[in-house]
Amino acid sequence: MRAIASISQSALKHNLSVVKKKSPNTKVVSMLKANAYGHHIDLMSPIIEQSDLLGVSEILEAEKLRKITNKPILLLSGVIEDQELQQAIQLNCQIVIHDKTQLPIISNTKQPINIWIKINTGMNRLGLSAHEYNTCIKLLENNPLISIQCVMSHFACADDINHPINQSQLNHFKKLTHNARKRSMANSAAILSNPASHFDYIRPGIILYGVSAFGMTDHHLRPVMQLSALIISIKTVKVGDSVGYGATWTAKQPTTIATIGIGYGDGYPRHAKDGTPVLINNTLCPLVGRVSMDLICVDISNTQANIGDRAILWGAQQLRIETIAKHSNTIAYQLLTNVGSRVNFISAL
Ligand SMILES: *Cc1c(COP(=O)(O)O)cnc(C)c1O
């Protein structure tokens, strides 16, 4: 009965090779934060083996990742107190400094550490100002226990190729970091669209998982997660009959309805609109009525289907997750990271 998320190992390899072709001489920090964008880190070995560093947001994630690999881990949110610093050192993390309050913690280290410095170039979320950056360098560069590995920044609008802030951030970054030994700026969208931003380390995320960095389907990438669930009931409704909570959808003609065992409790978006496609026996069939916690209803009048047949919710050539994101007014990143614990994750070819 359980919904299945099958995680394609060959698609992971393929997508990483697309990244490496785009930037052959650059080191790769693969982003495995949020449990590998919801794909489960324990199913990521093709990525883990072929990356130079692995990026996570916080220490708990670093802890889980360290149980399965010895690769260097980049801790993006850094540390907020000495105890976290000790944990990060024990886990052999490279630690990002993105706020001036982290400076005294880092500079008082009693053990050798590798750090990255994040500067703010216009996104105004994390990162040191130009002035703070200079202070930071002065304070840390002569400390024999601290090795500054790389200076990084993050684009606010890399997915909007022509947005003027991209060039402004890049100029700002170059100006501030011309003395830096190593630099890193590019996320997925910038890897694909802006070679001038690649520098020494690229930081791919969403494209590793086969999802477009620009919102529309990218046929060079292969979807990694295929989410599917079983048809558990089929019935025919008459003209005027409604389907689901709130009776929001009403049949205009006699309609065959399949009820499928997946709902928002599994991470299928509650806001998916009527007409959102579901792939059943190679036919795209429209969602009807509201998504429930455990179930959705689909109009299968145009296909032949039986109880026990598997419906694909996303992650097929004919049904990419970008389409589901559009129909539910969100982004693929959110859909992927919301797939619930009731779903059975399996490794697939
Ligand atoms: C998540 C993240 C990325 C990857 O972003 P994508 O859009 O998924 O490629 C890169 N850099 C930082 C700092 C991030 O937090």
Side-chain angles (χ1 to χ4, degrees), residues 39-79:
H39 291 68
H40 289 201
I41 51 169
D42 47 318
L43 299 173
M44 291 296 116
S45 48
I47 297 281
I48 291 174
E49 283 157 21
Q50 301 295 322
S51 305
D52 299 291
L53 264 108
L54 308 171
V56 299
S57 178
E58 53 176 65
I59 203 105
L60 251 160
E61 297 180 312
E63 226 160 14
K64 288 185 181 148
L65 192 53
R66 185 51 79 222
K67 293 207 169 95
I68 59 174
T69 177
N70 291 322
K71 284 264 163 151
I73 295 174
L74 181 63
L75 185 59
L76 290 164
S77 63
V79 294

Side-chain angles (χ1 to χ4, degrees), residues 118-139:
K118 186 170 194 174
I119 57 178
N120 177 19
T121 52
M123 184 162 178
N124 294 314
R125 187 181 61 172
L126 298 180
L128 305 181
S129 69
H131 173 71
E132 290 164 348
Y133 173 59
N134 290 326
T135 313
C136 174
I137 295 286
K138 275 196 204 101
L139 185 68

Side-chain angles (χ1 to χ4, degrees), residues 31 33 37 76 118 152 154 187-188 203-206 333:
M31 288 299 157
K33 61 194 184 190
Y37 288 46
L76 290 164
K118 186 170 194 174
M152 65 182 288
H154 196 51
N187 61 356
S188 295
R203 306 193 305 266
I206 197 75
Y333 294 77

Side-chain angles (χ1 to χ4, degrees), residues 176-226:
L176 277 175
T177 62
H178 61 96
N179 279 331
R181 226 164 36 90
K182 298 270 190 256
R183 299 186 277 182
S184 173
M185 182 100 197
N187 61 356
S188 295
I191 291 166
L192 297 180
S193 67
N194 192 352
S197 71
H198 290 186
F199 299 106
D200 303 290
Y201 288 93
I202 50 174
R203 306 193 305 266
I206 197 75
I207 53 177
L208 294 175
Y209 307 100
V211 177
S212 164
F214 304 103
M216 69 276 272
T217 297
D218 183 338
H219 289 285
H220 299 295
L221 302 169
R222 285 176 46 197
V224 172
M225 181 194 293
Q226 182 172 91

Side-chain angles (χ1 to χ4, degrees), residues 14-26 28 49-52 191 202:
H14 169 82
N15 297 332
L16 183 58
S17 76
V18 170
V19 167
K20 290 191 171 184
K21 265 195 209 111
K22 273 279 167 190
S23 197
N25 302 315
T26 313
V28 178
E49 283 157 21
Q50 301 295 322
S51 305
D52 299 291
I191 291 166
I202 50 174

Side-chain angles (χ1 to χ4, degrees), residues 13-320:
K13 278 191 201 133
H14 169 82
N15 297 332
L16 183 58
S17 76
V18 170
V19 167
K20 290 191 171 184
K21 265 195 209 111
K22 273 279 167 190
S23 197
N25 302 315
T26 313
K27 290 199 167 164
V28 178
V29 189
S30 289
M31 288 299 157
L32 296 182
K33 61 194 184 190
N35 206 9
Y37 288 46
H39 291 68
H40 289 201
I41 51 169
D42 47 318
L43 299 173
M44 291 296 116
S45 48
I47 297 281
I48 291 174
E49 283 157 21
Q50 301 295 322
S51 305
D52 299 291
L53 264 108
L54 308 171
V56 299
S57 178
E58 53 176 65
I59 203 105
L60 251 160
E61 297 180 312
E63 226 160 14
K64 288 185 181 148
L65 192 53
R66 185 51 79 222
K67 293 207 169 95
I68 59 174
T69 177
N70 291 322
K71 284 264 163 151
I73 295 174
L74 181 63
L75 185 59
L76 290 164
S77 63
V79 294
I80 53 161
E81 54 188 16
D82 187 62
Q83 194 213 333
E84 270 197 2
L85 176 64
Q86 299 315 317
Q87 281 177 291
I89 292 170
Q90 226 151 51
L91 294 167
N92 194 18
C93 291
Q94 305 196 10
I95 304 166
V96 174
I97 299 181
H98 58 76
D99 191 281
K100 61 178 183 301
T101 58
Q102 296 171 317
L103 269 177
I105 303 165
I106 293 291
S107 61
N108 283 330
T109 184
K110 304 287 179 291
Q111 286 161 277
I113 49 176
N114 291 315
I115 64 155
W116 287 45
I117 302 173
K118 186 170 194 174
I119 57 178
N120 177 19
T121 52
M123 184 162 178
N124 294 314
R125 187 181 61 172
L126 298 180
L128 305 181
S129 69
H131 173 71
E132 290 164 348
Y133 173 59
N134 290 326
T135 313
C136 174
I137 295 286
K138 275 196 204 101
L139 185 68
L140 301 184
E141 69 184 346
N142 295 320
N143 186 329
L145 291 176
I146 294 173
S147 166
I148 302 172
Q149 295 292 311
C150 186
V151 182
M152 65 182 288
S153 191
H154 196 51
F155 284 114
C157 305
D159 57 334
D160 183 355
I161 298 175
N162 295 316
H163 200 295
I165 198 174
N166 294 327
Q167 196 55 45
S168 141
Q169 285 194 263
L170 194 53
N171 293 344
H172 196 136
F173 186 68
K174 281 190 187 153
K175 205 170 103 196
L176 277 175
T177 62
H178 61 96
N179 279 331
R181 226 164 36 90
K182 298 270 190 256
R183 299 186 277 182
S184 173
M185 182 100 197
N187 61 356
S188 295
I191 291 166
L192 297 180
S193 67
N194 192 352
S197 71
H198 290 186
F199 299 106
D200 303 290
Y201 288 93
I202 50 174
R203 306 193 305 266
I206 197 75
I207 53 177
L208 294 175
Y209 307 100
V211 177
S212 164
F214 304 103
M216 69 276 272
T217 297
D218 183 338
H219 289 285
H220 299 295
L221 302 169
R222 285 176 46 197
V224 172
M225 181 194 293
Q226 182 172 91
L227 183 65
S228 66
L230 298 181
I231 297 178
I232 63 168
S233 172
I234 294 177
K235 50 175 56 64
T236 305
V237 295
K238 310 185 298 296
V239 174
D241 285 352
S242 66
V243 171
Y245 282 122
T248 58
W249 182 89
T250 304
K252 296 195 177 68
Q253 57 209 30
T255 305
T256 312
I257 300 289
T259 302
I260 298 167
I262 193 166
Y264 63 78
D266 306 285
Y268 192 82
R270 164 120 191 332
H271 292 104
K273 297 190 199 66
D274 283 340
T276 303
V278 174
L279 189 64
I280 297 174
N281 297 334
N282 274 315
T283 308
L284 292 172
C285 304
L287 180 80
V288 299
R290 279 199 190 141
V291 171
S292 322
M293 187 184 291
D294 314 315
L295 302 164
I296 58 172
C297 295
V298 177
D299 174 356
I300 56 162
S301 304
N302 291 327
T303 187
Q304 201 49 46
N306 299 303
I307 290 176
D309 288 353
R310 199 158 270 286
I312 296 174
L313 291 314
W314 65 60
Q317 282 310 337
Q318 314 94 299
L319 183 58
R320 299 288 190 123

